[in-house]
Amino acid sequence: MALVAVEIVNKSKQTVRLSLEEDGEELEYLRKLVRREDLVSVEVLKSAPARKPAASK
């Protein structure tokens, strides 16, 4: 699955950005919380960049 950048806004107007699977259960659950009005918005911004491996020491 491809990762997408997701911006989530709660009722206190605090915003967080996460990388989630495009069609994953977590994204679907967050959208459900918006419908229940527990969150203000969940917006898919774009495809998240691929993660680079950590630099070795």
Side-chain angles (χ1 to χ4, degrees):
M1 289 271 162
L3 291 178
V4 292
V6 179
E7 184 174 85
I8 303 160
V9 180
N10 68 10
K11 288 184 175 185
S12 299
K13 303 296 183 199
Q14 296 170 323
T15 302
V16 66
R17 288 186 181 177
L18 301 173
S19 293
L20 299 175
E21 289 185 12
E22 190 172 16
D23 295 322
E25 292 178 14
E26 296 155 330
L27 183 55
E28 186 59 36
Y29 179 70
L30 291 170
R31 288 177 173 154
K32 180 188 229 181
L33 291 177
V34 171
R35 288 191 299 270
R36 291 188 345 198
E37 298 182 358
D38 291 332
L39 293 174
V40 173
S41 69
V42 173
E43 180 181 350
V44 175
L45 301 176
K46 61 181 176 178
S47 295
R51 288 187 162 191
K52 296 180 183 176
S56 60
K57 293 184 177 182

